Amino acid sequence: MMLGVLLASSSVLMSCSDDDDGMMGAVPVNSVVATSSTVDVVWSIVPNDNCAGYIVSLLQGSRDGAVIETKEFDNRTCKGQFTGLQPNTEYCIKTQAKPGAGFNSADVYYREFTTSPIIDVNIVSYDAYNVNGYDSDGNPTVTKYYTINMDWPAIAESNCGGYYVAVFNCKKADWKANAAKTGQVTISKDDHGVIATSASIKGLEPGKTYTIGAYARPNSMCDYTQGDWSLTEITTPQ
């Protein structure tokens, strides 16, 4: 019985064609998680010593694209990372086992993906408005505020499910994702299936420095979990 188990485990992921009994099967890619400049790749591991390791390549565009970089891994490693990628760009991962004892070649596996986009926010205008109130002595006051109007280029829906835009109460150098915000907007498809590419946020004080933070939100087709932050520092008019 033990001999049968060992034989069964040693044949996992090892396929032989009718033409070549020394051909190893392909090594499937289980997941890719991209940012605007990196990709983390996880592939299926071959659980025996018939595999001498893995060859993983990053290709430009599709499986027919030029090889950008190739990395080799030992047979106990099932993940790797590539860096230096461009935002909102198509790439392809190619995996292949390194043949061990009893094998002379191996099938290849391809997994195409797209890096996350960067949102380029444009300041359209500032609209001033007044808010009436009272001071601590009960005297009437008028306080000036601004509404900021923004837009940005649309990202194709194949790589974007919406947008998030916020105005943070800090300079860009002091920015953190959990910093206090004046306002925020989360954008998805509206009732007509349209994803807006503009937003307005009110409540900004005159002559104050803020940071606009924005990122793309993925849909089910995307290979990223959240787009990278795009940060823009602004100072409102007096």
Side-chain angles (χ1 to χ4, degrees):
M1 181 178 297
M2 290 300 296
L3 178 60
V5 171
L6 291 173
L7 289 174
S9 64
S10 66
S11 65
V12 174
L13 298 180
M14 299 295 177
S15 65
C16 299
S17 68
D18 293 336
D19 299 326
D20 187 356
D21 290 340
M23 174 72 75
M24 295 180 65
V27 177
V29 173
N30 293 330
S31 72
V32 295
V33 179
T35 69
S36 63
S37 61
T38 67
V39 63
D40 290 295
V41 187
V42 177
W43 56 87
S44 295
I45 197 166
V46 179
N48 57 63
D49 293 332
N50 288 348
C51 175
Y54 309 97
I55 302 172
V56 183
S57 299
L58 176 69
L59 283 61
Q60 188 74 50
S62 67
R63 65 180 61 191
D64 299 320
V67 175
I68 299 172
E69 184 178 3
T70 296
K71 296 184 178 184
E72 295 191 14
F73 301 88
D74 62 43
N75 65 347
R76 303 302 178 190
T77 300
C78 65
K79 60 183 178 180
Q81 184 184 75
F82 292 93
T83 62
L85 285 64
Q86 297 300 310
N88 199 33
T89 301
E90 295 180 357
Y91 294 92
C92 182
I93 293 293
K94 173 185 174 182
T95 57
Q96 187 174 26
K98 296 169 66 174
F103 295 90
N104 53 45
S105 59
D107 288 329
V108 297
Y109 187 93
Y110 295 96
R111 169 66 156 83
E112 297 177 0
F113 71 96
T114 305
T115 51
S116 66
I118 296 290
I119 308 305
D120 185 16
V121 175
N122 172 56
I123 310 306
V124 177
S125 63
Y126 296 96
D127 294 335
Y129 66 96
N130 295 324
V131 174
N132 297 321
Y134 297 90
D135 61 20
S136 58
D137 297 323
N139 300 312
T141 60
V142 177
T143 305
K144 183 179 181 180
Y145 291 99
Y146 282 98
T147 296
I148 185 171
N149 303 303
M150 303 162 283
D151 64 12
W152 52 88
I155 304 297
E157 288 187 30
S158 59
N159 199 37
C160 181
Y163 309 96
Y164 174 84
V165 182
V167 176
F168 293 86
N169 302 336
C170 62
K171 296 181 178 180
K172 184 176 178 179
D174 301 324
W175 178 87
K176 295 180 180 179
N178 61 352
K181 295 183 285 285
T182 294
Q184 59 187 346
V185 178
T186 300
I187 299 173
S188 301
K189 281 187 178 181
D190 62 19
D191 294 340
H192 303 287
V194 177
I195 303 176
T197 56
S198 62
S200 297
I201 294 178
K202 61 189 302 185
L204 282 69
E205 300 175 20
K208 183 175 178 179
T209 299
Y210 296 89
T211 297
I212 299 172
Y215 61 77
R217 300 173 59 238
N219 56 39
S220 60
M221 297 182 290
C222 296
D223 299 300
Y224 61 94
T225 56
Q226 176 186 302
D228 291 352
W229 284 99
S230 169
L231 302 177
T232 305
E233 184 176 281
I234 61 165
T235 301
T236 53
Q238 292 288 347

